[in-house]
Amino acid sequence: MSAVTTEGAWDELTLSPEAYKRASARYRRRVSSKGYLFLLPYFVPFLAFLVVPVFWSLWLSFNQGGLLDSAKFVGFQNWREIAQDSQLTTSIENTAKYVVTAIFMVFVLAFLLALLLNRYRRGGNFFKLALYTPLLAPLVLVGLIWQFIANYDFGLLNLILTTIGLGRVNIFGNGTYALLLIVCAEVWRGLGFWTLYFLASLQNIPDELLDAARVDGAKGIQRFRRVTIPLLKPMLLFAVVLAIIANFQVFDTVYVLTQGGPVQSTSTMVWFIWERLFQFQQTGQGYAAAVILLGIILFLTAFSFWFLGSGERRRERKTQA
Amino acid sequence: MAVDSAQLGIPEDTSPHADYARAARRRRSVELTKGTVAYVVLILFAVIAIGPFLYLLSPSFRHSYDLLTFPPQWLPKSLYWGNFGAVLHQTSYLRWGLNTFIFATSVTLITLAIDTLAGYAFARMHFPGRKVLFAIVISCLMIPTAAILAPLYIIVSSIPGWTHAGVNTYPGMVLPMVCSPLGVFMMRQFMLTLPEGLVEAARLDGAGEFQIFRKIVLPLMKPAIVVLGIFTFMFQWTNFLWPLAITTTDSMKTLTVGVASLQGQFVTNYGWLSAAAVMTMIPIIIVFLIFQKWFVQASMAGALKQ
C-alpha cells in the first residue's frame, strides 16, 4: 500500500533528462547569482581600496606629484633616482638589521619563557598576563614609553645608571644605540605574544611522544633536541616568515623615537617612503620605494604560501604511503 | 643469590634506605635550585614587562621642568595633578578619544558585516569563479598600507562630490580600512568547520540563502565574530600610519596621532606627554583585565590562522 504511493510520488518527481538539465541549471544559476550578491559588499571596498591601489602604485612609480597637484609622467626617472640614492640602501640595510636582531632576540627569549612556563605551571596565569600587557599599548605609545626609558635627562635607563654610579648614555646620539632602542621596543612589545604562541605550540605536542622517548632512556636535553624541536620546526619557520613580514613595516616607533636619525641610522623602508611622500615632497621617489616594499612583501607572502603548501603536500604523501 | 645481584649491577648495600634517601635529597635540591632559577627569570621578565608602565606614572605627576634636575629623581617630591588637567583642557585629547572610538567602531562593524557575508559565500555557496576570487583575496592578505599609501590618499581625496574633502572626514578614514582580507579568511575557515548538512538541510526545506545565513549560520558564528571584532577593534584603535596620513587638522586626529603630535619638533612637554600616555593606557588595561580570555584568543587568531 505504502509502497505504491511512494512509487507514484517517485514517478511524479522523476524528470526527463532535458527537464532535469534545465532544472539543475536553473538551481545553479539561482545559487550562483546569490553568491556574487553576498560577495559584493566586500568586493567593492576590496577592489577600490586594495586591488586598484596596488596597480595604481605601480603606475605612480613612473610619475611625479599627484598628492596635492596632478601627477606628471616621467618615465623611469624615479627609478634612476632611487637607484643612486644612498639613503634607500641605508634604509633597506637598517630594516634588515632591525628585522634580524628583533626576531632573533624575541624568539630566543620567548622560547625560553615558553619552556619555563610549560615546565613550571604554578603562577603561570600571572606571568602570562604580565607578559601580555605591553601588547595592549599601541606602537606609538610603546615608542613613547621607550622615550621615557631612554631619555637623557629623566629616562629610566639613565636613572638606573646614575643610581648605581655609572655615567649616563646619550642613546639618541648614537646610531647603533638608536637602532637597538627600536629593536628593544619591539622585543618588549612582542615578547608576550610570541611566548604565548610558543607555549600553545609546546602544549600541542602529544605527551605520548615525550613519554615514549623518556621510556627509551632519552635525557631532558635529548628529548628537547630530538622530539620537541623537530615537531615544532614547521610552526617555527612559519612564525619567522610572519614576523619578518610584520617587522619589515616598522614605522610607528621610528616616527616617535628617532624620526630616522641620527643621520639616517634608523631610517627604515616605511620611514623612507613616508619622508619622501609627505615631508620632502619628493613623491616620485616615495612611489618607487613603495613598489620595492610591495615586491619584498609579496615575495615573502608567496614564499610562506609555498612553504605551507609544501608541508601539506608532504603530509599527503605520508598518508598515501 | 649474591652472584645474581652482582651480575645485574645492583650494589649489595647493607643500608639501601640511606643511599636511596641521599639520592632523593640530592635530586630534590637540584629540582629546587632549578625551580628557583626559573621563577627568578620569570619574575625578572614580568618586571621588565610591567615596569615601564609603572615608571610612566612618575613623570606624569611632575612639572616638566622638574624632570630636568640632576641627579635625576625616581619619584616626584609631591603629586602634581596639573599635567592631566592640561592634557584634558589645553589639547584636544577628548576629541581624539571620540575620533578614535568612531573610527575603530565603524571599521569593526562594517568589517564584521561584509566579512561574514563574504566568508559564508566562500565557504558554503557554489558559483563559478569562487576559487579564483578567493585566491585573489588571499593573495592580498599581507599587502602593507605603507605600500599603497599614496594611491589610497589620492583615491580618498578625489572621491567625486568630496573634492579633496575625503581628507579629514570619517568616511575617508574608515572606508579604506574595512577591506582587510584576514577577516574574510577567518570567517571562511570558521564556517568550514560547521557541518555542511546544516546548510543543505535548510536549503532543501526551501529557505533562502539570506535566511540560512541570518537564522542558522550567524548564531553559530558568535565566538568567531567576537574574536574578529576584538581583533579588528584592537588593530584599528592602535592604527597609526593611515590616520596620520589622512588627517591634517587637530580636531580629526585619532588618539595615536594626537598623542604623538604632543611630541613637538623642538620643545616637548614631557609631563603632558606621559600624562596623556597614562590616560590612554588605563582604560584599555581595565578592559583587558575584564575580558582577558577573549583578548588573548583574538591576538592568537591573527597568527594561528594557518
Side-chain angles (χ1 to χ4, degrees):
Chain A
M1 178 73 181
S2 69
V4 174
T5 42
T6 327
E7 223 156 80
W10 187 245
D11 275 344
E12 262 170 43
L13 279 174
T14 318
L15 298 169
S16 65
E18 300 84 53
Y20 174 77
K21 240 181 233 161
R22 268 202 307 278
S24 72
R26 203 163 50 229
Y27 177 73
R28 260 188 318 225
R29 253 204 314 280
R30 188 179 72 96
V31 171
S32 68
S33 63
K34 281 273 175 58
Y36 299 128
L37 211 63
F38 271 64
L39 286 184
L40 192 68
Y42 175 74
F43 264 78
V44 170
F46 174 69
L47 290 175
F49 298 117
L50 206 50
V51 178
V52 169
V54 166
F55 292 102
W56 199 329
S57 212
L58 289 175
W59 163 246
L60 275 177
S61 70
F62 301 101
N63 288 273
Q64 276 178 5
L67 288 184
L68 302 168
D69 46 359
S70 50
K72 193 170 93 244
F73 184 78
V74 293
F76 279 91
Q77 194 190 326
N78 299 328
W79 290 98
R80 274 197 300 273
E81 274 171 20
I82 64 162
Q84 291 153 3
D85 195 326
S86 72
Q87 195 192 341
L88 182 71
T89 346
T90 318
S91 300
I92 294 177
E93 243 170 64
N94 288 338
T95 316
K97 272 190 224 160
Y98 163 84
V99 167
V100 171
T101 341
I103 292 180
F104 181 76
M105 278 171 70
V106 85
F107 273 34
V108 168
L109 290 176
F111 207 87
L112 173 81
L113 289 174
L115 284 174
L116 289 180
L117 284 172
N118 194 32
R119 170 77 177 71
Y120 300 94
R121 302 287 172 92
R122 192 173 297 166
N125 258 343
F126 165 74
F127 291 117
K128 280 187 229 166
L129 274 189
L131 289 172
Y132 187 89
T133 319
L135 204 65
L136 296 173
L139 271 167
V140 170
L141 283 195
V142 172
L144 287 180
I145 287 168
W146 280 78
Q147 173 82 265
F148 283 94
I149 291 177
N151 189 286
Y152 188 72
D153 293 309
F154 51 83
L156 189 58
L157 179 72
N158 284 322
L159 204 53
I160 293 172
L161 285 179
T162 43
T163 308
I164 59 175
L166 294 170
R168 296 196 276 187
V169 195
N170 185 4
I171 288 175
F172 298 102
N174 179 315
T176 315
Y177 288 165
L179 193 61
L180 207 58
L181 179 73
I182 292 169
V183 169
C184 284
E186 173 57 36
V187 171
W188 178 70
R189 180 174 188 266
L191 190 58
F193 175 80
W194 290 113
T195 305
L196 293 189
Y197 183 80
F198 290 146
L199 187 61
S201 334
L202 279 175
Q203 287 170 352
N204 266 343
I205 294 179
D207 286 336
E208 298 89 70
L209 288 178
L210 291 170
D211 287 343
R214 202 192 315 257
V215 169
D216 287 346
K219 292 264 174 358
I221 293 174
Q222 277 176 315
R223 282 202 301 274
F224 179 69
R225 256 194 41 171
R226 305 279 176 185
V227 181
T228 311
I229 293 282
L231 281 173
L232 290 185
K233 214 164 138 201
M235 181 283 299
L236 264 174
L237 284 175
F238 185 69
V240 168
V241 178
L242 264 192
I244 293 176
I245 293 175
N247 279 318
F248 218 89
Q249 301 167 39
V250 56
F251 172 74
D252 304 14
T253 41
V254 175
Y255 182 93
V256 176
L257 280 171
T258 62
Q259 298 263 323
V263 220
Q264 301 177 3
S265 56
T266 55
S267 166
T268 61
M269 258 326 267
V270 178
W271 174 258
F272 179 89
I273 296 170
W274 170 263
E275 207 175 40
R276 295 294 152 111
L277 284 182
F278 291 100
Q279 291 192 341
F280 291 172
Q281 308 297 332
Q282 289 170 325
T283 45
Q285 297 166 15
Y287 298 152
V291 172
I292 295 178
L293 176 71
L294 192 65
I296 293 173
I297 300 286
L298 283 182
F299 171 77
L300 288 171
T301 315
F303 175 78
S304 68
F305 282 159
W306 169 83
F307 176 76
L308 280 182
S310 76
E312 230 149 69
R313 279 191 294 278
R314 245 198 326 274
R315 235 169 293 144
E316 264 166 33
R317 262 204 306 278
K318 257 184 208 156
T319 46
Q320 277 166 11
Chain B
M1 207 53 198
V3 176
D4 274 354
S5 65
Q7 269 172 349
L8 287 170
I10 299 170
E12 268 191 295
D13 203 5
T14 44
S15 58
H17 292 294
D19 246 18
Y20 181 76
R22 206 176 308 134
R25 244 196 330 274
R26 197 167 53 231
R27 200 183 147 76
R28 254 204 312 277
S29 80
V30 168
E31 284 297 308
L32 196 70
T33 326
K34 270 195 196 164
T36 317
V37 171
Y39 276 102
V40 166
V41 172
L42 284 174
I43 289 170
L44 177 71
F45 276 97
V47 168
I48 291 176
I50 300 179
F53 286 113
L54 297 178
Y55 179 68
L56 204 56
L57 290 169
S58 163
S60 72
F61 284 110
R62 278 190 270 181
H63 286 281
S64 58
Y65 55 76
D66 225 20
L67 288 166
L68 306 177
T69 52
F70 188 88
Q73 306 293 316
W74 282 87
L75 293 169
K77 283 188 209 87
S78 59
L79 288 186
Y80 167 68
W81 288 88
N83 290 325
F84 294 95
V87 170
L88 285 177
H89 298 121
Q90 292 176 41
T91 72
S92 318
Y93 185 85
L94 292 174
R95 180 63 200 253
W96 299 336
L98 179 73
N99 290 340
T100 304
F101 183 76
I102 294 175
F103 170 63
T105 313
S106 322
V107 174
T108 307
L109 292 179
I110 298 176
T111 299
L112 287 180
I114 65 182
D115 285 6
T116 43
L117 282 170
Y120 174 66
F122 279 132
R124 285 289 173 251
M125 292 170 92
H126 305 278
F127 50 87
R130 183 175 73 150
K131 279 195 177 151
V132 178
L133 288 174
F134 186 65
I136 293 174
V137 171
I138 287 306
S139 61
C140 294
L141 197 59
M142 301 292 187
I143 288 177
T145 311
I148 54 172
L149 194 61
L152 277 185
Y153 185 91
I154 295 173
I155 291 172
V156 166
S157 61
S158 63
I159 287 175
W162 282 354
T163 47
H164 229 84
V167 181
N168 290 320
T169 61
Y170 290 125
M173 285 161 76
V174 169
L175 288 177
M177 292 294 111
V178 300
C179 50
S180 157
L182 182 62
V184 175
F185 183 71
M186 275 168 64
M187 291 295 106
R188 172 185 177 267
Q189 296 308 91
F190 190 84
M191 275 180 217
L192 285 177
T193 64
L194 302 176
E196 181 149 26
L198 227 56
V199 174
E200 286 300 322
R203 248 178 225 155
L204 287 177
D205 285 344
E209 289 295 329
F210 191 73
Q211 221 176 348
I212 300 173
F213 173 72
R214 214 174 62 85
K215 295 253 172 75
I216 295 172
V217 176
L218 270 193
L220 292 171
M221 292 286 295
K222 246 180 222 154
I225 290 174
V226 172
V227 167
L228 178 62
I230 293 180
F231 179 74
T232 311
F233 192 91
M234 285 294 290
F235 194 82
Q236 292 305 335
W237 95 266
T238 61
N239 196 344
F240 181 63
L241 184 58
W242 177 242
L244 180 69
I246 204 65
T247 57
T248 53
T249 58
D250 192 52
S251 63
M252 284 308 287
K253 283 174 181 159
T254 59
L255 270 180
T256 48
V257 182
V259 173
S261 76
L262 289 179
Q263 209 181 15
Q265 196 81 41
F266 305 105
V267 190
T268 303
N269 188 326
Y270 284 102
W272 289 18
L273 198 61
S274 53
V278 167
M279 284 196 295
T280 314
M281 281 319 295
I282 285 176
I284 186 70
I285 287 181
I286 291 172
V287 173
F288 167 66
L289 289 177
I290 299 171
F291 298 106
Q292 23 168 310
K293 236 180 216 146
W294 289 107
F295 267 85
V296 176
Q297 225 177 329
S299 80
M300 285 293 138
L304 291 173
K305 58 184 187 282
Q306 75 255 48

